[in-house]
């Protein structure tokens, strides 16, 4: 039996393997704990770990520093070497980073019992994780041809700022929520950066497949049906700039009308970004449609936030959850299913459970946002949203566990793409 401590264990073949599993496990644990804390289901009310800021901060922190940070680490450890044509990160360093993520979880959960020393350990572990990613990946990005991926360095530096600010304020009993809000904005920027690269490959592949399967229609609509998808930098940079402007305004002027107008500007910029997706009927194929859905949910989230802040009405929390449960949850699900399969040496899964899971995530965001409706059964909506959020990741874990914990069957290296046999 091969030990988890050795580099030979399949779990350490590529950086995404332990981190994608950790992310899925953390979400599947986190959401039911939150429901039981709220008193549902079965009328049970369980206590959560005592942390600075209370239960709501614990909930948001674990979503972002647990689930999202693990998913992000797995993605960059795999994608950056691929994008830059550089060697993969060695297994020993991946194990160290995974250990820092786990130490961060334990330290934060024990903050109520052990006090500020545990909180300091959690902060150092999280900072060590992201700083480690930066040290390992920045040289690969810097030395790549044309340095086309420098934005990942700036995103990781922003992440270090958010983590350091959160724990510094937590140790001195300051306002920690603002750093979590800033991290949501930073994750939206990171999603735009990452999906623009993933979409170039996935969407163009879908266009080629559609034209191959419908040659007569493709020839008849040669002028109407695009032959190539391009994620244009000006539109992407405009969306990123507007999201960044709203995030900064929210940090310094929370829930202000200025923040509201900037949120509406972010929504408009994201809708403008949608024009890159005029790719004809290939958009209706599962993978392009799922990726496009991320941008739709992101635009809807900022629109709800902006309308709420400008009008003074409800909808701010609904918009926030449209960003987190919706855009963030669906983006990570897409990456798990795309990168997880092809870097395990398998083609992407074409079975029905994948789009059904994506639809459930969209439903979860809608249910969570429906709390603003008159006479809404808020607790009931929370229960349904939680079920719709957890189920797709539970099914993904069940389907992918054998692939992520066993050796590749195609004879290729740990992070190599799937290569179709001819």
């Amino acid at each position: 039996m091969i030990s988890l401590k050795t580099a030979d264990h399949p779990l350490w073949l590529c950086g995404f393997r332990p981190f994608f599993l950790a992310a899925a496990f953390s979400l599947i644990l986190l959401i039911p704990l939150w429901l039981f804390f709220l008193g549902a289901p079965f009328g049970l009310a369980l206590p959560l770990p005592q942390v600075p800021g209370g239960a709501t901060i614990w909930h948001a922190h674990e979503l972002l520093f647990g689930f999202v940070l693990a998913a992000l680490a797995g993605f960059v450890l795999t994608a950056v070497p691929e994008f830059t044509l550089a060697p993969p990160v060695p297994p020993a360093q991946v194990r160290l980073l995974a250990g820092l993520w786990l130490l961060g979880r334990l330290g934060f959960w024990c903050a109520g019992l052990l006090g500020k020393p545990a909180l300091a350990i959690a902060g150092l572990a999280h900072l060590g994780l992201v700083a480690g990613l930066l040290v390992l990946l920045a040289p690969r990005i810097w030395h790549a041809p044309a340095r086309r991926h420098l934005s990942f360095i700036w995103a990781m530096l922003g992440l270090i700022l958010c983590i350091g600010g959160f724990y510094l304020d937590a140790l001195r009993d300051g306002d920690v929520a603002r750093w979590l809000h800033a991290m949501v904005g930073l994750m939206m920027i990171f999603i735009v950066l990452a999906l623009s690269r993933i979409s170039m490959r996935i969407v163009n592949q879908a266009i080629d497949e559609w034209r191959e399967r419908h040659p007569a229609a493709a020839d008849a609509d040669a002028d109407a049906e695009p032959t190539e998808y391009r994620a244009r930098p000006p539109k992407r940079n405009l969306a990123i700039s507007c999201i960044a402007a709203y995030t900064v305004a929210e940090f310094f002027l929370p829930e202000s009308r200025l923040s509201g107008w900037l949120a509406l500007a972010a929504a408009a910029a994201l809708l403008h970004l949608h024009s890159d997706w005029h790719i004809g009927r290939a958009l209706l194929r599962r993978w392009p449609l799922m990726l496009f859905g991320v941008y739709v949910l992101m635009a809807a989230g900022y629109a709800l936030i902006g309308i709420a802040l400008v009008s003074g009405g409800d909808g701010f929390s609904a918009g926030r959850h449209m960003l987190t449960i919706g855009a963030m949850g669906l983006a990570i699900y897409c990456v798990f299913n795309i990168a997880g399969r092809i870097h395990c040496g398998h083609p992407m899964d074409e079975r029905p459970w994948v789009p059904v899971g994506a639809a459930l995530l969209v439903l979860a965001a809608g249910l969570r946002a429906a709390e603003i409706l008159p006479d809404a059964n808020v607790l009931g909506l929370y229960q349904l949203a939680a079920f719709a959020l957890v189920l797709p990741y539970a099914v993904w874990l069940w389907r992918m566990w054998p692939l992520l914990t066993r050796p590749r069957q195609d004879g290729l290296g740990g992070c190599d793409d799937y290569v179709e046999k001819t």
Side-chain angles (χ1 to χ4, degrees), residues 302-344:
Y302 281 113
L304 284 171
I305 290 172
I307 292 169
L309 293 179
V310 170
S311 67
D314 296 329
F316 184 84
S317 177
R320 180 91 70 194
H321 284 89
M322 192 68 73
L323 296 178
T324 52
I325 295 176
M328 201 178 293
L330 182 57
I332 293 172
Y333 182 75
C334 290
V335 170
F336 278 17
N337 279 289
I338 295 171
R341 291 278 301 187
I342 65 175
H343 289 290
C344 279

Side-chain angles (χ1 to χ4, degrees), residues 254-311:
E255 300 188 19
S256 65
R257 288 176 64 87
L258 174 61
S259 298
W261 287 115
L262 290 172
L264 291 175
L270 287 161
L271 291 174
H272 181 51
L273 188 61
H274 291 173
S275 62
D276 281 343
W277 290 76
H278 293 169
I279 59 171
R281 281 165 282 187
L283 178 61
L284 300 180
R285 297 180 65 84
R286 67 167 64 187
W287 300 110
L289 191 59
M290 287 166 58
L291 293 169
F292 180 68
V294 174
Y295 292 114
V296 173
L297 291 167
M298 197 181 297
Y302 281 113
L304 284 171
I305 290 172
I307 292 169
L309 293 179
V310 170
S311 67

Side-chain angles (χ1 to χ4, degrees), residues 91-357:
Q93 295 171 344
V94 173
R95 289 201 302 276
L96 175 60
L97 294 173
L100 289 171
W101 178 87
L102 183 59
L103 180 61
R105 308 275 59 68
L106 295 174
F108 190 69
W109 283 44
C110 292
L113 295 175
L114 304 178
K116 292 186 176 180
L119 200 61
I121 290 173
L124 290 173
H126 286 114
L127 287 171
L129 169 58
V130 182
L133 292 172
L134 191 60
V135 169
L136 290 170
L137 300 176
R140 290 167 165 84
I141 296 171
W142 186 259
H143 294 297
R147 296 175 181 167
R148 293 171 48 237
H149 307 289
L150 286 177
S151 52
F152 284 115
I153 294 179
W154 311 133
M156 285 188 280
L157 287 172
L159 192 56
I160 289 174
L161 176 63
C162 288
I163 293 171
F166 175 90
Y167 279 100
L168 184 61
D169 273 353
L171 288 169
R172 61 186 186 185
D173 301 319
D175 178 15
V176 295
R178 58 180 179 162
W179 295 104
L180 296 175
H181 298 160
M183 189 168 171
V184 170
L186 183 61
M187 287 302 102
M188 294 301 108
I189 291 173
F190 196 93
I191 288 170
V192 173
L193 290 172
L195 289 197
S196 66
R197 288 155 174 81
I198 295 172
S199 299
M200 290 283 286
R201 172 177 177 175
I202 300 301
V203 176
N204 282 316
Q205 180 178 323
I207 293 173
D208 292 340
E209 290 175 354
W210 185 88
R211 295 180 70 85
E212 289 175 2
R213 294 186 181 186
H214 306 87
D219 291 340
D221 297 336
D223 294 332
E225 296 288 342
T227 59
E228 186 182 24
Y229 162 78
R230 301 291 296 174
R232 294 172 175 81
K235 296 179 183 180
R236 180 175 69 245
N237 293 338
L238 176 62
I240 289 172
S241 298
C242 290
I243 293 171
Y246 166 74
T247 302
V248 172
E250 183 186 33
F251 187 87
F252 292 105
L253 299 170
E255 300 188 19
S256 65
R257 288 176 64 87
L258 174 61
S259 298
W261 287 115
L262 290 172
L264 291 175
L270 287 161
L271 291 174
H272 181 51
L273 188 61
H274 291 173
S275 62
D276 281 343
W277 290 76
H278 293 169
I279 59 171
R281 281 165 282 187
L283 178 61
L284 300 180
R285 297 180 65 84
R286 67 167 64 187
W287 300 110
L289 191 59
M290 287 166 58
L291 293 169
F292 180 68
V294 174
Y295 292 114
V296 173
L297 291 167
M298 197 181 297
Y302 281 113
L304 284 171
I305 290 172
I307 292 169
L309 293 179
V310 170
S311 67
D314 296 329
F316 184 84
S317 177
R320 180 91 70 194
H321 284 89
M322 192 68 73
L323 296 178
T324 52
I325 295 176
M328 201 178 293
L330 182 57
I332 293 172
Y333 182 75
C334 290
V335 170
F336 278 17
N337 279 289
I338 295 171
R341 291 278 301 187
I342 65 175
H343 289 290
C344 279
H346 291 265
M348 291 189 293
D349 200 321
E350 298 296 332
R351 288 173 289 185
W353 70 269
V354 177
V356 169

Side-chain angles (χ1 to χ4, degrees), residues 1 36 43 45 53 78 89 118 154 158 188 207 232 269 310 319 325 333 355 362 368 370 376 406 408:
M1 183 176 179
F36 278 112
T78 307
V89 176
W154 311 133
M188 294 301 108
I207 293 173
R232 294 172 175 81
V310 170
I325 295 176
Y333 182 75
V362 176
R368 188 59 181 79
R406 296 175 187 171
R408 292 179 61 141

